[in-house]
Amino acid sequence: MSKLKIFVSAYACEPGLGSEIGVGWHWVLEMSKHFDLWVLTRESNRHSIEPWIAAHPEFGHIRFLYFDLPKWARFWKKGLRGVRLYYNLWQGLTNPMVRRTMQENGIRVFHHLTYGNVLWTVSRYGRKQCFIWGPVGGLETISYDYSKHYGWKSRLIEFIRRSVVAGIGLNVGFKNRCRCADIILCKTEITRGYIPDKYKYKSVLQTDVAVEKYSINEQKTDNNGIIKYLVVGRLDAWRGFDLCIESFAEAAKVCENIQLSIVGSGLDEKRLKKLAYERGVCNKIHFMGRVSTEEYRNILSSTDVVINPSLKEGAVTVAFDSMSMGKPLICLDTTGYTRYFSPEYAEIIPIGKRETVIECMKLSILKLFDPSIRKKMGQKAMEAGLVFTWQFRGEEFCRLLSDKLKQNGCI
C-alpha cells in the first residue's frame, strides 16, 4: 500500500543542531517513516543535509527541495538579524515551487512545520490545500511585572508583543490561517486559547520537542562536592535567566557549594552579568557563551540539575535532554511541554508574581541540593526519557495526523 504524500515546509531543518532547526529535522525524519515526503527548506541547509542522507541511506527516500534568495538580495540578513523579514519573503517567493511540486506529484496535503509562529505567514498555495499548521505558538506574552526589569530594548519588544496579541482578534492573516487549516497543532494551552471559537475544534495540543536517544545512559563525572546547576539558551530577556540568577543568589546564601553555568549568548548578556555582580555571585556563576553540540553534551553530562526558567514555550530542547540524561529539572509551567513532566522528576513552578517565582525556584534549588532526592528524581527522569523519545513522538503524531485527515476527508 502506497504511503500518503505530504509536502512539508521546513524553513528551519538541519541535522546535528538543537532548537527550532533540530526540531524541524527530527519531525521530518519521523514523519518519513509513515508518509512519502517532499521537504522544502533553505539552500543554506543543503551542505549538512545531503552528506547526512548519504550516510543514512534508509532516509534516502525523502525528497528535499532547496531555496534561498541570491546573496546580493540578502546581504542584510545575518544569523537571526532580519530573520522575520527574510522568512516572510522566503514564504512568498517559494509559493510557485510549492504549487508546481504539489501539482506535478499529486500531493494534496501541505504541512507548514517551521517556523512555528502563528503570526508569521504561510504559503498561499499550501494553505488552500489540506493544510496542517504547526506545532505553532507565538501568542504567549510576558507581563509588565517581569518586563519592567529588562533593558529598554527588551521592554519595548515585550510591549509590542503584548499589543499585537491584544489585537489578535483583528489580525486578518491569523484568522485566515485558522480558517484554512484542517489541523492546528498548538504548542501551548495559551496559544490554543486564542484560536477563534468557531475553529477551535481543529486545534490539538502538540509539543514539538522530544528526547534524543544518543544521550540516554551517558554518565556524569564527579564534581568534587560542588552541586552544578545548568541553564541553556539564547540570552533573551523572556527566557527568564534573570529569575534564575536571583533565585540562585538567594540559595547560595544557604548553600555555599553550588555553581551555576549559563550556556548561550544574546542581547541580554550584559544585563545578566551585571545582575550576577550586584547579587555577589560572580564567582559562582559561569557565563560560557555559545558552545558546540559536543561541548554542550559534555557540560550537561557533568551537571547535577538542569533549570529552564523560560517564561514562554521556547528553547525546551535542554529540558528533554535533562530527562534523557537522568537530570532533575526545575522549570516554569508554560502550559506546553511541561505536560510531559511530573513532580517525580521535575520541579514545575506556576508562573505567578515575580517574587513568588523567584522564591519557589530558590526552594527548588535548595531541595535538589540533597543527593538522595537528586538520585531518586534523576532515575525517574531517565525512565521517562526512555518513553518520550522522537520515535514515540513520531508514532504519536502520525497516528493523530492519519485520524484527523480521515475525519476531515483529506484521505
Side-chain angles (χ1 to χ4, degrees):
M1 183 177 178
S2 61
K3 294 180 179 178
L4 176 67
K5 298 176 181 180
I6 300 180
F7 188 101
V8 181
S9 177
Y11 176 94
C13 179
E14 194 173 350
L17 297 175
S19 196
E20 188 98 13
I21 296 174
V23 165
W25 179 252
H26 282 292
W27 273 67
V28 165
L29 293 188
E30 294 306 320
M31 288 179 65
S32 74
K33 298 174 184 177
H34 304 268
F35 305 110
D36 199 4
L37 300 187
W38 281 255
V39 181
L40 174 62
T41 189
R42 290 194 60 194
E43 177 68 39
S44 60
N45 296 336
R46 185 196 291 265
H47 76 282
S48 56
I49 290 176
E50 293 194 345
W52 193 95
I53 293 294
H56 300 81
E58 65 272 26
F59 292 101
H61 58 282
I62 305 174
R63 302 164 180 84
F64 284 95
L65 298 87
Y66 303 94
F67 179 83
D68 266 332
L69 274 70
K71 279 190 175 182
W72 63 264
R74 53 184 167 93
F75 66 90
W76 45 270
K77 185 191 179 301
K78 185 176 181 180
L80 291 177
R81 187 186 69 190
V83 66
R84 184 189 299 265
L85 174 59
Y86 186 82
Y87 170 86
N88 285 300
L89 286 172
W90 189 88
Q91 289 294 337
L93 292 170
T94 56
N95 193 61
M97 185 183 295
V98 175
R99 180 177 61 249
R100 181 175 63 254
T101 303
M102 293 188 72
Q103 289 178 349
E104 289 178 354
N105 294 281
I107 307 168
R108 296 183 55 214
V109 181
F110 174 83
H111 183 188
H112 181 90
L113 180 58
T114 63
Y115 282 137
N117 190 317
V118 298
L119 298 172
W120 292 20
T121 191
V122 172
S123 163
R124 292 190 307 278
Y125 182 82
R127 70 178 182 231
K128 293 177 183 177
Q129 310 313 303
C130 183
F131 172 29
I132 307 160
W133 191 22
V136 289
L139 298 180
E140 301 80 14
T141 60
I142 309 299
S143 71
Y144 180 71
D145 184 36
Y146 292 89
S147 65
K148 68 183 180 183
H149 297 273
Y150 300 167
W152 72 267
K153 188 173 182 179
S154 295
R155 290 199 306 272
L156 177 60
I157 290 171
E158 294 307 328
F159 172 77
I160 293 172
R161 281 177 178 160
R162 288 194 295 267
S163 300
V164 169
V165 172
I168 194 65
L170 302 176
N171 188 312
V172 175
F174 169 69
K175 289 194 290 186
N176 282 341
R177 289 187 286 276
C178 289
R179 176 179 56 80
C180 291
D182 290 271
I183 306 172
I184 307 172
L185 305 169
C186 299
K187 294 182 183 181
T188 67
E189 286 286 5
I190 294 170
T191 290
R192 196 179 187 183
Y194 281 104
I195 302 297
D197 289 342
K198 61 182 176 179
Y199 304 128
K200 200 155 287 183
Y201 71 95
K202 304 176 182 181
S203 66
V204 180
L205 192 63
Q206 183 72 41
T207 302
D208 59 345
V209 184
V211 172
E212 288 200 54
K213 286 184 176 181
Y214 67 75
S215 56
I216 292 176
N217 292 326
E218 289 189 11
Q219 301 297 312
K220 87 175 188 65
T221 58
D222 180 31
N223 293 327
N224 298 318
I226 302 296
I227 307 305
K228 291 188 175 183
Y229 298 77
L230 173 69
V231 286
V232 179
R234 185 171 173 81
L235 304 188
D236 296 317
W238 60 266
R239 296 190 189 273
F241 285 64
D242 56 339
L243 306 175
C244 190
I245 291 173
E246 292 201 38
S247 59
F248 181 84
E250 291 300 310
K253 294 175 182 178
V254 181
C255 295
E256 291 188 358
N257 294 333
I258 58 176
Q259 175 184 302
L260 176 66
S261 295
I262 298 177
V263 173
S265 61
L267 174 66
D268 211 32
E269 185 170 349
K270 185 176 180 180
R271 180 180 75 99
L272 295 174
K273 288 183 175 179
K274 181 181 178 182
L275 181 61
Y277 173 78
E278 292 173 345
R279 294 295 186 270
V281 285
C282 284
N283 62 327
K284 294 181 180 294
I285 297 181
H286 303 289
F287 288 85
M288 307 185 75
R290 294 183 64 183
V291 301
S292 68
T293 302
E294 184 178 355
E295 287 176 293
Y296 158 70
R297 294 174 190 170
N298 289 334
I299 293 168
L300 182 55
S301 71
S302 65
T303 291
D304 294 287
V305 179
V306 172
I307 305 176
N308 181 22
S310 177
L311 288 156
K312 299 193 292 185
E313 173 75 357
V316 296
T317 302
V318 69
F320 282 89
D321 286 347
S322 74
M323 189 187 286
S324 71
M325 283 199 186
K327 313 293 183 181
L329 175 71
I330 300 172
C331 63
L332 304 187
D333 189 0
T334 58
T335 78
Y337 78 96
T338 46
R339 71 193 179 102
Y340 287 98
F341 289 79
S342 86
E344 287 187 317
Y345 48 89
E347 292 285 300
I348 305 169
I349 300 169
I351 299 178
K353 290 186 177 180
R354 187 175 187 274
E355 293 77 11
T356 304
V357 167
I358 291 172
E359 176 65 16
C360 290
M361 196 177 294
K362 180 198 82 171
L363 294 175
S364 293
I365 290 171
L366 293 175
K367 174 183 175 179
L368 290 168
F369 186 80
D370 186 319
S372 63
I373 295 177
R374 288 200 312 277
K375 182 177 180 180
K376 182 178 179 180
M377 292 181 69
Q379 182 60 41
K380 291 291 185 181
M382 185 168 287
E383 290 172 5
L386 294 170
V387 176
F388 297 126
T389 61
W390 277 109
Q391 181 179 352
F392 167 85
R393 181 60 45 75
E395 291 173 354
E396 175 192 59
F397 169 70
C398 290
R399 282 195 301 271
L400 166 71
L401 190 58
S402 296
D403 290 344
K404 288 289 185 180
L405 291 175
K406 287 177 183 176
Q407 290 174 15
N408 295 343
C410 294
I411 57 176

